[in-house]
Amino acid sequence: MTRPNAPDTDVAQLALDELGRMSLAEHSLQSVLQKVTDLTARVLPGEPVTSVTIVTANRASTVAASAPLARELDEAQYAQGTGPCLEAATTGLVVEVPDTDTDLRWGPFPKLAAERGCRSMLSFPLPPQELISGGLNVYARSTRPLDERTRQLAARFAAYAVVPVSNMYLYQSAVERAEHLRAALDSRAVIDQAKGILMERYKLSADQAFTALAQVSMESNRKVRDVAERFVETGELRRV
């Protein structure tokens, strides 16, 4: 069966309806992103493989891919530091490569893509989100030019992808903040315990006890928390 030059309207709508019925309460964020890439690859013309790139803190990664080839081509661009997917993700502009055999942008990447069977590319930026950017990447096996209908459909799939991407980032950030807070509370607890022992043993004030810990920390080039923990465990407060 030959794939059409443009996406079939009924098939495309069925795919979008399927995405619309998915609930983040019933599916993992990763499974939603995987569904986006799988349906995009199934609906768009050119027998494509697809992926979703995100860029956070100047670091790019692939959070979902419809096939290993899409992830491979993404990672080739990350390693090179430039490419259509990175340009779309960081500039917010649609980037199209009509023919990888003739495109001279992005160094050796277009030639590599052509050798791996990717004849054309479309990288569509995800709608902008705070502190995160990304793109939906379409690696097609034909050089047929993409029509406006295909671009509009890619934009709709990108809009579906941005919700789980944003939620995934917010979740990871919340986990990291919770871990940092727990570490800070653990440090505070052991330091307060060490201060209490010093105050009772040497009749020091709270400020004097902390100063003693800080002095050993500077002399031994260790964190105050580590000095306090050792003192609580051994009863020794000295430079080691």
Side-chain angles (χ1 to χ4, degrees), residues 85-119:
C85 78
L86 291 174
E87 183 166 327
T90 56
T91 67
L93 300 175
V94 178
V95 179
E96 185 174 350
V97 180
D99 187 346
T100 54
D101 267 331
T102 60
D103 201 297
L104 300 179
R105 297 170 290 177
W106 305 299
F109 172 73
K111 179 176 176 58
L112 170 66
E115 290 172 350
R116 300 292 288 115
C118 170
R119 312 304 300 172

Short mmCIF file of all heavy atoms in Angstrom, two decimals, residues 85-119:
data_model
loop_
_atom_site.label_atom_id
_atom_site.label_comp_id
_atom_site.label_asym_id
_atom_site.label_seq_id
_atom_site.Cartn_x
_atom_site.Cartn_y
_atom_site.Cartn_z
N CYS A 85 16.70 19.82 14.30
CA CYS A 85 15.90 19.66 15.51
C CYS A 85 16.33 20.65 16.59
O CYS A 85 15.50 21.20 17.30
CB CYS A 85 15.95 18.22 16.02
SG CYS A 85 17.44 17.74 16.91
N LEU A 86 17.63 20.91 16.70
CA LEU A 86 18.11 21.88 17.68
C LEU A 86 17.71 23.30 17.30
O LEU A 86 17.35 24.11 18.17
CB LEU A 86 19.63 21.77 17.83
CG LEU A 86 20.14 20.49 18.48
CD1 LEU A 86 21.67 20.45 18.43
CD2 LEU A 86 19.66 20.40 19.92
N GLU A 87 17.77 23.60 16.01
CA GLU A 87 17.40 24.95 15.57
C GLU A 87 15.93 25.22 15.83
O GLU A 87 15.55 26.29 16.32
CB GLU A 87 17.72 25.13 14.09
CG GLU A 87 17.42 26.54 13.60
CD GLU A 87 18.04 26.85 12.25
OE1 GLU A 87 19.13 26.33 11.96
OE2 GLU A 87 17.42 27.62 11.50
N ALA A 88 15.07 24.26 15.52
CA ALA A 88 13.63 24.44 15.76
C ALA A 88 13.34 24.58 17.25
O ALA A 88 12.55 25.43 17.66
CB ALA A 88 12.86 23.27 15.16
N ALA A 89 13.98 23.73 18.06
CA ALA A 89 13.72 23.74 19.49
C ALA A 89 14.17 25.03 20.15
O ALA A 89 13.53 25.52 21.07
CB ALA A 89 14.40 22.54 20.15
N THR A 90 15.29 25.58 19.70
CA THR A 90 15.86 26.76 20.39
C THR A 90 15.41 28.08 19.80
O THR A 90 15.45 29.10 20.49
CB THR A 90 17.40 26.69 20.36
OG1 THR A 90 17.85 26.59 18.99
CG2 THR A 90 17.90 25.48 21.14
N THR A 91 14.97 28.10 18.53
CA THR A 91 14.54 29.36 17.92
C THR A 91 13.04 29.53 17.87
O THR A 91 12.53 30.64 17.69
CB THR A 91 15.09 29.49 16.49
OG1 THR A 91 14.47 28.50 15.65
CG2 THR A 91 16.60 29.32 16.46
N GLY A 92 12.30 28.42 18.00
CA GLY A 92 10.85 28.49 17.88
C GLY A 92 10.38 28.60 16.44
O GLY A 92 9.21 28.91 16.20
N LEU A 93 11.25 28.33 15.48
CA LEU A 93 10.91 28.43 14.06
C LEU A 93 10.83 27.04 13.43
O LEU A 93 11.59 26.13 13.81
CB LEU A 93 11.96 29.25 13.31
CG LEU A 93 12.16 30.69 13.79
CD1 LEU A 93 13.33 31.34 13.03
CD2 LEU A 93 10.89 31.51 13.61
N VAL A 94 9.90 26.88 12.49
CA VAL A 94 9.80 25.62 11.76
C VAL A 94 11.02 25.49 10.84
O VAL A 94 11.39 26.44 10.15
CB VAL A 94 8.52 25.59 10.91
CG1 VAL A 94 8.45 24.29 10.11
CG2 VAL A 94 7.29 25.72 11.81
N VAL A 95 11.65 24.31 10.87
CA VAL A 95 12.82 24.06 10.03
C VAL A 95 12.52 22.88 9.11
O VAL A 95 12.15 21.80 9.57
CB VAL A 95 14.07 23.76 10.87
CG1 VAL A 95 15.27 23.49 9.97
CG2 VAL A 95 14.37 24.92 11.81
N GLU A 96 12.67 23.10 7.81
CA GLU A 96 12.39 22.05 6.83
C GLU A 96 13.63 21.76 5.99
O GLU A 96 14.34 22.68 5.59
CB GLU A 96 11.24 22.48 5.93
CG GLU A 96 10.80 21.38 4.96
CD GLU A 96 9.56 21.77 4.17
OE1 GLU A 96 8.94 22.80 4.50
OE2 GLU A 96 9.22 21.03 3.22
N VAL A 97 13.89 20.49 5.78
CA VAL A 97 14.96 20.05 4.88
C VAL A 97 14.29 19.27 3.76
O VAL A 97 13.95 18.10 3.93
CB VAL A 97 15.98 19.16 5.62
CG1 VAL A 97 17.08 18.72 4.67
CG2 VAL A 97 16.56 19.89 6.82
N PRO A 98 14.07 19.89 2.59
CA PRO A 98 13.35 19.21 1.51
C PRO A 98 14.10 18.01 0.94
O PRO A 98 13.48 17.04 0.51
CB PRO A 98 13.19 20.31 0.44
CG PRO A 98 13.37 21.60 1.18
CD PRO A 98 14.35 21.30 2.27
N ASP A 99 15.45 18.08 0.93
CA ASP A 99 16.24 16.99 0.34
C ASP A 99 17.57 16.91 1.08
O ASP A 99 18.42 17.79 0.95
CB ASP A 99 16.46 17.26 -1.15
CG ASP A 99 17.12 16.08 -1.86
OD1 ASP A 99 17.64 15.18 -1.17
OD2 ASP A 99 17.11 16.07 -3.10
N THR A 100 17.76 15.86 1.85
CA THR A 100 18.99 15.73 2.63
C THR A 100 20.22 15.53 1.74
O THR A 100 21.34 15.78 2.16
CB THR A 100 18.89 14.56 3.62
OG1 THR A 100 18.53 13.37 2.92
CG2 THR A 100 17.85 14.85 4.71
N ASP A 101 20.01 15.07 0.50
CA ASP A 101 21.14 14.86 -0.41
C ASP A 101 21.77 16.16 -0.86
O ASP A 101 22.96 16.21 -1.20
CB ASP A 101 20.68 14.08 -1.65
CG ASP A 101 20.89 12.58 -1.48
OD1 ASP A 101 21.82 12.19 -0.74
OD2 ASP A 101 20.11 11.81 -2.06
N THR A 102 20.98 17.23 -0.89
CA THR A 102 21.47 18.50 -1.45
C THR A 102 21.61 19.61 -0.42
O THR A 102 22.17 20.66 -0.73
CB THR A 102 20.53 18.98 -2.57
OG1 THR A 102 19.21 19.19 -2.03
CG2 THR A 102 20.46 17.96 -3.69
N ASP A 103 21.11 19.40 0.80
CA ASP A 103 21.16 20.46 1.81
C ASP A 103 22.59 20.61 2.34
O ASP A 103 23.22 19.63 2.72
CB ASP A 103 20.21 20.14 2.97
CG ASP A 103 19.84 21.37 3.77
OD1 ASP A 103 20.75 21.98 4.37
OD2 ASP A 103 18.66 21.73 3.78
N LEU A 104 23.08 21.84 2.35
CA LEU A 104 24.46 22.10 2.77
C LEU A 104 24.55 22.69 4.18
O LEU A 104 25.64 23.02 4.64
CB LEU A 104 25.13 23.06 1.77
CG LEU A 104 25.19 22.55 0.32
CD1 LEU A 104 25.85 23.60 -0.57
CD2 LEU A 104 25.95 21.23 0.25
N ARG A 105 23.43 22.83 4.86
CA ARG A 105 23.46 23.36 6.21
C ARG A 105 23.83 22.25 7.21
O ARG A 105 23.76 21.08 6.91
CB ARG A 105 22.09 23.93 6.58
CG ARG A 105 21.65 25.13 5.73
CD ARG A 105 20.19 25.48 6.00
NE ARG A 105 19.30 24.45 5.45
CZ ARG A 105 17.97 24.47 5.59
NH1 ARG A 105 17.40 25.46 6.28
NH2 ARG A 105 17.23 23.51 5.07
N TRP A 106 24.26 22.67 8.40
CA TRP A 106 24.47 21.75 9.52
C TRP A 106 25.54 20.69 9.27
O TRP A 106 25.41 19.54 9.69
CB TRP A 106 23.15 21.09 9.91
CG TRP A 106 22.09 22.09 10.20
CD1 TRP A 106 22.10 23.05 11.18
CD2 TRP A 106 20.87 22.28 9.48
NE1 TRP A 106 20.95 23.81 11.12
CE2 TRP A 106 20.19 23.36 10.09
CE3 TRP A 106 20.29 21.65 8.39
CZ2 TRP A 106 18.96 23.82 9.63
CZ3 TRP A 106 19.07 22.10 7.93
CH2 TRP A 106 18.41 23.17 8.56
N GLY A 107 26.61 21.11 8.60
CA GLY A 107 27.78 20.25 8.50
C GLY A 107 27.49 18.90 7.88
O GLY A 107 26.76 18.79 6.88
N PRO A 108 28.03 17.83 8.48
CA PRO A 108 27.86 16.49 7.89
C PRO A 108 26.52 15.84 8.18
O PRO A 108 26.24 14.75 7.65
CB PRO A 108 28.99 15.69 8.55
CG PRO A 108 29.18 16.34 9.88
CD PRO A 108 28.93 17.81 9.65
N PHE A 109 25.66 16.48 8.98
CA PHE A 109 24.43 15.79 9.39
C PHE A 109 23.52 15.42 8.23
O PHE A 109 23.02 14.27 8.18
CB PHE A 109 23.65 16.60 10.42
CG PHE A 109 22.31 16.00 10.71
CD1 PHE A 109 22.21 14.84 11.45
CD2 PHE A 109 21.14 16.56 10.19
CE1 PHE A 109 20.98 14.23 11.67
CE2 PHE A 109 19.91 15.97 10.40
CZ PHE A 109 19.83 14.80 11.16
N PRO A 110 23.20 16.33 7.28
CA PRO A 110 22.29 15.94 6.19
C PRO A 110 22.77 14.71 5.42
O PRO A 110 21.97 13.83 5.07
CB PRO A 110 22.23 17.19 5.30
CG PRO A 110 22.52 18.32 6.24
CD PRO A 110 23.55 17.77 7.19
N LYS A 111 24.08 14.63 5.18
CA LYS A 111 24.63 13.46 4.46
C LYS A 111 24.43 12.19 5.28
O LYS A 111 24.06 11.14 4.75
CB LYS A 111 26.11 13.68 4.16
CG LYS A 111 26.77 12.52 3.43
CD LYS A 111 28.21 12.84 3.08
CE LYS A 111 28.91 11.66 2.45
NZ LYS A 111 28.23 11.20 1.23
N LEU A 112 24.66 12.29 6.59
CA LEU A 112 24.44 11.13 7.46
C LEU A 112 22.98 10.70 7.41
O LEU A 112 22.68 9.50 7.31
CB LEU A 112 24.83 11.48 8.90
CG LEU A 112 24.43 10.46 9.97
CD1 LEU A 112 25.19 9.15 9.75
CD2 LEU A 112 24.68 11.01 11.36
N ALA A 113 22.07 11.67 7.48
CA ALA A 113 20.64 11.35 7.43
C ALA A 113 20.29 10.66 6.12
O ALA A 113 19.53 9.67 6.10
CB ALA A 113 19.82 12.62 7.61
N ALA A 114 20.83 11.16 5.00
CA ALA A 114 20.55 10.56 3.70
C ALA A 114 21.06 9.12 3.65
O ALA A 114 20.37 8.23 3.14
CB ALA A 114 21.20 11.39 2.60
N GLU A 115 22.22 8.89 4.20
CA GLU A 115 22.80 7.53 4.21
C GLU A 115 21.96 6.57 5.03
O GLU A 115 21.94 5.37 4.76
CB GLU A 115 24.23 7.58 4.75
CG GLU A 115 25.22 8.28 3.81
CD GLU A 115 26.58 8.48 4.46
OE1 GLU A 115 26.69 8.24 5.70
OE2 GLU A 115 27.53 8.84 3.74
N ARG A 116 21.26 7.11 6.03
CA ARG A 116 20.42 6.26 6.90
C ARG A 116 19.00 6.14 6.38
O ARG A 116 18.13 5.57 7.05
CB ARG A 116 20.41 6.82 8.33
CG ARG A 116 21.78 6.89 8.98
CD ARG A 116 22.34 5.50 9.27
NE ARG A 116 21.64 4.86 10.37
CZ ARG A 116 20.90 3.78 10.27
NH1 ARG A 116 20.75 3.18 9.09
NH2 ARG A 116 20.30 3.27 11.31
N GLY A 117 18.74 6.68 5.18
CA GLY A 117 17.43 6.52 4.55
C GLY A 117 16.46 7.65 4.78
O GLY A 117 15.30 7.57 4.36
N CYS A 118 16.91 8.71 5.46
CA CYS A 118 16.05 9.87 5.67
C CYS A 118 16.24 10.83 4.50
O CYS A 118 17.31 11.40 4.34
CB CYS A 118 16.40 10.56 7.00
SG CYS A 118 15.61 12.16 7.22
N ARG A 119 15.19 11.02 3.70
CA ARG A 119 15.30 11.83 2.50
C ARG A 119 14.90 13.29 2.72
O ARG A 119 15.30 14.18 1.97
CB ARG A 119 14.43 11.24 1.38
CG ARG A 119 14.60 9.74 1.18
CD ARG A 119 16.03 9.35 0.92
NE ARG A 119 16.56 10.00 -0.29
CZ ARG A 119 17.82 9.96 -0.67
NH1 ARG A 119 18.70 9.31 0.08
NH2 ARG A 119 18.21 10.56 -1.78
#
